[in-house]
Amino acid sequence: MKYVLVTGGVVSGLGKGVTASSIGVILKACGLRITSIKIDPYLNTDAGTMSPFEHGEVFVLDDGGEVDLDLGNYERFLDIKLTRDNNITTGKIYQSVIDKERKGEYLGKTVQVVPHITNAIQEWIERVAMIPVDGKEGPADVCVIELGGTIGDIESMPFIEALGQFSYRVGPGNFCLVHVSLVPVLNVVGEQKTKPTQHSVRGLRGLGLTPNILACRSTKELEDNVKEKLSQFCHVPAANIITLYDVSNIWRIPLLLRDQKAHEAILKVLNLERVDSIAREPKLDEWVARATIFDTLHDTVRIAMVGKYTGLSDSYLSVLKALLHASVDCRRKLVVDWVASTDLEDSTAIEVWHSSLVFNVLSLEGADGIVVPGGFGDRGVQGKILAAKYAREKNVPYLGICLGMQIAVVEYARHVMNLTDANSTEFDPNTKTPCVIFMPEGSKTHMGATMRLGSRRTFFKIADCKSSKLYGNVTYVDERHRHRYEVNPDMVPEFENAGLQFVGKDDTGRRMEIIEIPNHRYFVGAQFHPEFKSRPSKPSPLFVGLIAAASGQLDRVLQDCSNGHVVAAKHVLSNGSYTSTVHQNGHPKKLANGLSNGTYYANGNGVHA
């Protein structure tokens, strides 16, 4: 097994996750099998209980693991299926060591950070690296490890020490360290500054790790004299200094690495440059075509994203990626209008605009489609209900995900069935009309890993529905879930008599998975999260349906699916930039990085101009 470690210096948010994913892409394109591990130094056991504002979205894996969003990048870039153990946290390591201590496995020993914690980290890496993630038998050839945070962080010290020992343990030729750092350009002088990277590398070397390759983030390509200076002071060959400068879309990053011969540098460090079965040049034709096609898209499709975490785009990263995949599948340039659901609520609307109608027109009327993604808690719920009502009444394509589906059910009960007090017990435990209820197997005392999580099977009950056609008229699909509440099965007959179709159910037939309004252009809700399995070459069918309906192509897409062209199995070249307009509290919101409304380019961790 060969290992590539990706670390970051100077500041966070440089794009270590995208860099690690792109390294995996070029090595895979050379013919190697790749697996990935993400190390997060926080004490949480997993990301499940973290606020999206704190850490971005929680990505859910097939086995129910609630993990860091970078594992979503790995799965999308490499088209692999990871496990919960591919995300290592300080909490998991300490918990495993303490459990062993309680069992007496260290009997007679004083349990310490070194060697017990550091050994546990190394053993975890070696064990997980051997797990196949690409559907083939046997372990991968290369494991790409990303160390979260920034070099010098106190909480990452045990991992730095463990990785230093690990590099010695696996020996030369089996370990390659790629350090991602920042080379800023000061506007005053217009000069690329190397001192931050010099200090970062000096700190890394002082901790026992020596970088083999430098990946330098900058606004433009590094000048030759800057590379020579970095080479001299960081003790890295100039040929091994790669520039990660700003590009038009995320799919050009593997091409950047290829063009600068990053694969040759990595293969040389890993003693793989003379292996006959490994291609000398990565085969990235699909990536070239994908990046080029996206950059040439002009016809737009506007999607209103109505959520409660709109202040941070990373909160809905997988939803954004799924929309991008579907948009390019339909040959449309995606424009996202961010709408804070609290802004749609009557009290806010009256206060800001003196009329909820005026605000609704401002926020939603220009949208070709509406997405209400998942979430927890009652803040902004009324605004989401208003968004679902607007989509239903105005015949605007709608996709509700998890909570978005439950919201649609509540809205239908209130305004179509005239059950004015209909609600979810999540928001009103004493409601007289509980349309959505707490699942019997859930826990009300423990929050972490107690939801209905991971891949579950959904059976189609109505063969002629839009969802079934989009999935290729299959009898069932496996999608990933993350929820505590469900549609009240006792009210299902009442809903069906009123015209709401439950077209997808679980194997028992009592858990509702997909809803549709049959006489609507496209009104679909899913209890599962289809965005987690969307891939650039295999876009999520439900998202393709939304974009197709929003751009007037749904009939053609459904016809293609009926003719055997399954959305999820097509070869599609996709992804790239999107335009984003943010609405919050009735006004355009300035993003945290200082950018206001305009054109943004998607990367693995958010938006960069």
Side-chain angles (χ1 to χ4, degrees), residues 272-451:
L272 293 172
E273 76 273 25
R274 291 187 176 87
V275 178
D276 293 336
S277 61
I278 299 175
R280 302 278 75 78
E281 190 72 16
K283 298 178 181 178
L284 294 173
D285 294 345
E286 181 181 342
W287 288 78
V288 173
R290 178 180 300 139
T292 303
I293 288 174
F294 197 94
D295 286 344
T296 59
L297 294 176
H298 297 292
D299 296 334
T300 61
V301 58
R302 302 189 70 90
I303 301 296
M305 182 89 78
V306 182
K308 60 186 291 187
Y309 311 117
T310 54
L312 180 67
S313 63
D314 276 7
S315 301
Y316 303 113
L317 184 61
S318 290
V319 177
L320 283 174
K321 296 301 182 185
L323 286 170
L324 286 166
H325 302 161
S327 297
V328 179
D329 185 68
C330 295
R331 293 300 185 264
R332 290 295 184 272
K333 184 176 182 179
L334 177 65
V335 181
V336 176
D337 291 338
W338 294 91
V339 182
S341 56
T342 50
D343 288 349
L344 293 177
E345 296 178 353
D346 288 341
S347 59
T348 305
I350 292 171
E351 178 183 345
V352 177
W353 295 100
H354 310 293
S355 167
S356 61
L357 177 62
V358 172
F359 187 85
N360 285 343
V361 169
L362 173 71
S363 299
L364 299 176
E365 193 170 69
D368 300 312
I370 296 173
V371 174
V372 178
F376 298 92
D378 59 359
R379 183 175 67 84
V381 164
Q382 297 308 315
K384 294 179 181 181
I385 291 175
L386 287 173
K389 182 174 185 286
Y390 178 90
R392 180 181 56 79
E393 292 181 344
K394 301 293 185 181
N395 203 26
V396 176
Y398 174 92
L399 177 59
I401 301 170
C402 196
L403 177 61
M405 173 185 128
Q406 298 171 6
I407 287 297
V409 170
V410 171
E411 188 281 323
Y412 199 90
R414 289 183 182 181
H415 302 118
V416 176
M417 299 165 64
N418 296 317
L419 302 174
T420 55
D421 58 349
N423 213 333
S424 166
T425 57
E426 180 179 5
F427 315 126
D428 181 6
N430 301 315
T431 179
K432 296 180 180 178
T433 311
C435 300
V436 179
I437 60 173
F438 191 83
M439 291 187 297
E441 68 267 35
S443 171
K444 294 187 177 182
T445 58
H446 288 72
M447 301 294 286
T450 57
M451 289 184 279

